[in-house]
Amino acid sequence: MRRALLALLMTLAALPLPGEEAPRRRNVVVMFSDDHALSAISAYGRSHLGDFARTPNIDRLAKEGVLFRRCFVHNSICTPSRAGVLTGRHSHRNGVYTLADGMDVRRRHLAHFFRDAGYQTALFGKWHLHTEPQGFDRWEVFRNQGEYENPVYLSPEHPKGRQESGYSEDLSTRKALDWLAARDASKPFLLCLHFKAPHRNWIPAPRYRGRFAADTIPEPDTLMDDLANRSVAITRNTQTIGEDFRLREDLKLEPPAGLKGPALRLWAFRELGKRHGGLTEAQAAKLEAVDETRFRRWSYQQYAKDYLNAAQAVDDNVGRVLDWLKAAGLEGDTVVVYSSDQGFYVGEHGFYDKRWMYEESQHMPLLIRAPGAAKAGTETRALAMNLDFAPTLLDLCGIDAPTREEERFDGVSLAPLLRGETPAGWRDLVYYRYWEHNSHEHPVPGCYGIRTATHKLIHYHGRPLGMKGADPKPTAPEWELFDLVKDPKELRSVHADPAYAEILAELKRRLEAERARIGDER
Ligand code: SGN
Ligand code: CA
């Protein structure tokens, strides 16, 4: 009897008092783009792209939420980054090392954890984890990278895909909003809207095609980087603007049939000169040899314009989702995240693409709006990672993190940072590992390293390790050490500078300790 009475009292104590709100079950919207560089997001401040990079809708999230200045990816390539976001685990702990690895369909991740807690879950847009998405009540995804125009969507009803007409980002967003409108309003939701843009080959929505045609986009001051004073590896890159572009797909040129080799390149140089160098037909015809500097600078104009124009549709659609949430009265109950699978080079070091552990590609944008849980309009410089997204979202929604060994997170919840608190003992480094040793399209040797608030240590270990898609040939090991305070653009590795001997030894010790801590010792 006494026990029953006690149980009743305890139940009553757990109920909200009159006038007190029941614990809220927040909804979650994750908007995740592909290859969106911080330099192209105006919330991050003025970059070399100046006023040409304007993202008013993503910037709303900065005004109403928290902007993370130092969020880094654990492996700067699409498929592994996405697996890291979903599982909260490093590559060696989720089995997705390279672009060629699929997500094991038995592996439980973010969507399962939300669904188990009573959430409705949905995913629209890019997936790129090769196997069929699991854990989502509803999904419609691109096959592999997907297409910008008239994309094919795979879904449970159309496992082989069905083509739709329109522009990728607008279509995926329409699907997401339709799903929201038709959802069961008595349950909370997790919506993942994964954009395709601004991935190569940077095809803008029709409404932005030709925008900036008459303008000159400012160049980064490292566009003509000679790549001296760094690893041998960086000099062997094949992601240099101009030189490593395809004339048709990347430069949007239409070469006449029959032209090949040097004659074709000279033709392209003249065309670029007319389009981006202000040359008349007669002036262009007088160009007798390709000038590599001008070839890169003119190619950069084409690239930067296409990149910014493709990214604009992402921003538009972020705005559509934010407007919808507001109109539906859900703004105050919904956590909104904006991020991208990694950073990207928009001309820095003369590059496009990612993969390297240098700042532009290791860096991820991250903005989180969480009414009641995040201090609006603030920013943090604490070290964050993509592996933290899943723990953070569960935490914000009051869902326990998984405790099974094979599901336990490597990342941690960013919730204290959202409240403006940096807990004592917060991580003082982030670990990075790229496994796709010299894969054919853009060879970057397998490497691992750490980034602290002030330094970056990178080790190209040279071992292919039998990774899918990697080159089986080993390479000579190399080190790079950057002093991010004195050399934020990473133009001079100081690993062999005697003045840094002590710092180097200390960072090598910390790197080994981190590898041992997370069990990544291959
Ligand atoms: C494609 C691109 C590459 C890019 C990879 C990986 N070439 O292969 O430039 O590095 O995707 O991108 S393309 O000519 O086909 O566009 S990722 O976003 O999936 O990691
Ligand atoms: Ca990507």
Side-chain angles (χ1 to χ4, degrees):
M1 179 64 198
R2 268 181 60 186
R3 228 187 237 175
L5 192 66
L6 200 66
L8 179 69
L9 284 174
M10 281 170 72
T11 314
L12 287 175
L15 289 174
L17 295 171
E20 188 184 318
E21 265 183 69
R24 266 197 317 204
R25 313 223 25 228
R26 295 190 168 96
N27 307 302
V28 177
V29 175
V30 177
M31 288 185 274
F32 201 67
S33 57
D34 197 2
D35 297 355
H36 204 180
L38 271 72
S39 65
I41 298 176
S42 40
Y44 278 91
R46 224 181 142 76
S47 72
H48 65 276
L49 297 166
D51 286 340
F52 292 99
R54 251 183 273 126
T55 50
N57 294 297
I58 296 172
D59 295 5
R60 275 159 74 182
L61 292 176
K63 283 191 210 94
E64 296 160 8
V66 177
L67 176 139
F68 288 76
R69 286 242 169 239
R70 286 186 180 152
C71 180
F72 296 97
V73 67
H74 74 298
N75 183 349
S76 180
I77 190 80
C78 191
T79 310
S81 169
R82 288 161 198 265
V85 165
L86 289 171
T87 62
R89 292 163 73 95
H90 284 284
S91 305
H92 68 287
R93 305 232 307 144
N94 65 28
V96 181
Y97 298 88
T98 75
L99 273 183
D101 292 313
M103 175 83 111
D104 183 337
V105 288
R106 289 161 305 183
R107 179 163 284 288
R108 286 159 42 83
H109 54 69
L110 181 72
H112 297 92
F113 305 143
F114 269 92
R115 194 157 75 173
D116 290 353
Y119 277 64
Q120 298 162 89
T121 58
L123 162 70
F124 300 98
K126 186 165 172 177
W127 170 242
H128 207 209
L129 283 154
H130 309 303
T131 51
E132 213 170 72
Q134 306 294 318
F136 296 97
D137 300 328
R138 177 71 197 151
W139 53 268
E140 286 190 65
V141 299
F142 302 135
R143 191 172 42 205
N144 293 321
Q145 302 280 7
E147 299 82 28
Y148 274 107
E149 293 170 299
N150 307 327
V152 170
Y153 285 92
L154 312 178
S155 63
E157 311 82 75
H158 301 283
K160 294 216 162 79
R162 189 178 62 156
Q163 188 171 26
E164 300 196 21
S165 61
Y167 186 70
S168 53
E169 317 309 54
D170 301 340
L171 288 172
S172 300
T173 305
R174 180 76 268 145
K175 290 175 187 297
L177 298 182
D178 287 348
W179 179 80
L180 280 176
R183 78 192 194 286
D184 172 355
S186 69
K187 286 192 197 167
F189 61 84
L190 165 72
L191 166 67
C192 297
L193 173 55
H194 294 186
F195 300 109
K196 171 174 173 55
H199 189 275
R200 194 181 182 190
N201 60 334
W202 317 293
I203 307 227
R207 60 189 176 279
Y208 293 118
R209 235 158 266 171
R211 187 176 69 144
F212 304 147
D215 297 307
T216 302
I217 310 290
E219 297 169 355
D221 54 12
T222 58
L223 181 66
M224 298 313 300
D225 190 348
D226 62 5
L227 308 180
N229 303 314
R230 274 150 287 172
S231 58
V232 173
I234 190 178
T235 64
R236 297 201 178 126
N237 81 85
T238 59
Q239 54 190 73
T240 297
I241 288 177
E243 198 177 315
D244 298 313
F245 272 164
R246 299 192 187 109
L247 299 187
R248 266 179 208 284
E249 292 85 352
D250 300 324
L251 288 172
K252 321 296 195 289
L253 296 172
E254 284 183 34
L259 272 188
K260 277 203 285 269
L264 175 59
R265 208 143 183 275
L266 181 59
W267 173 87
F269 181 56
R270 290 175 176 163
E271 288 303 302
L272 289 172
K274 285 189 275 175
R275 202 187 283 178
H276 299 291
L279 302 188
T280 62
E281 190 74 48
Q283 286 167 325
K286 282 203 201 109
L287 297 173
E288 279 178 2
V290 175
D291 171 305
E292 294 303 335
T293 301
R294 285 206 283 178
F295 195 92
R296 190 182 301 180
R297 295 185 63 188
W298 293 339
S299 298
Y300 168 80
Q301 289 302 318
Q302 181 71 43
Y303 163 57
K305 290 172 191 178
D306 286 341
Y307 184 89
L308 290 168
N309 286 338
Q312 210 65 48
V314 171
D315 189 70
D316 291 350
N317 282 297
V318 168
R320 279 171 79 196
V321 173
L322 297 181
D323 290 346
W324 192 95
L325 291 172
K326 188 171 189 167
L330 293 171
E331 204 176 44
D333 290 332
T334 306
V335 176
V336 179
V337 178
Y338 182 79
S339 184
S340 183
D341 56 353
Q342 358 70 207
F344 212 71
Y345 300 89
V346 191
E348 300 92 339
H349 307 299
F351 286 179
Y352 65 99
D353 213 63
K354 51 254 177 178
R355 303 162 194 260
W356 299 95
M357 196 187 155
Y358 306 126
E359 288 293 270
E360 293 80 3
S361 45
Q362 192 190 1
H363 229 145
M364 303 171 87
L366 176 63
L367 300 106
I368 303 180
R369 184 178 81 180
K375 264 196 179 167
T378 62
E379 58 175 64
T380 171
R381 302 183 78 80
L383 293 169
M385 295 186 79
N386 61 330
L387 307 184
D388 301 334
F389 296 7
T392 305
L393 295 175
L394 291 183
D395 190 5
L396 291 175
C397 295
I399 305 170
D400 289 337
T403 51
R404 280 199 230 150
E405 186 44 43
E406 67 278 16
E407 293 171 0
R408 270 224 296 271
F409 295 138
D410 293 323
V412 294
S413 170
L414 302 171
L417 303 178
L418 292 173
R419 295 191 296 267
E421 301 155 12
T422 307
W426 187 255
R427 71 160 70 89
D428 56 6
L429 58 83
V430 288
Y431 181 71
Y432 182 81
R433 179 136 197 192
Y434 181 74
W435 292 85
E436 206 170 308
H437 183 76
N438 284 333
S439 56
H440 79 284
E441 203 174 1
H442 304 292
V444 171
C447 65
Y448 49 75
I450 49 172
R451 188 210 191 275
T452 70
T454 53
H455 293 85
K456 186 180 292 184
L457 178 67
I458 309 172
H459 183 42
Y460 302 93
H461 52 74
R463 294 170 293 125
L465 297 169
M467 284 294 136
K468 272 193 210 156
D471 185 315
K473 283 194 294 301
T475 50
E478 297 191 81
W479 290 90
E480 284 180 322
L481 169 64
F482 294 101
D483 180 336
L484 299 173
V485 178
K486 291 198 182 133
D487 178 25
K489 293 186 177 164
E490 301 167 315
L491 298 174
R492 191 170 81 91
S493 170
V494 290
H495 68 283
D497 181 340
Y500 284 84
E502 239 169 77
I503 292 174
L504 177 67
E506 169 65 6
L507 287 171
K508 280 188 175 175
R509 191 194 58 72
R510 287 171 71 186
L511 171 62
E512 282 317 311
E514 181 65 1
R515 282 165 58 70
R517 188 184 74 83
I518 63 173
D520 185 16
E521 296 185 276
R522 274 170 86 187

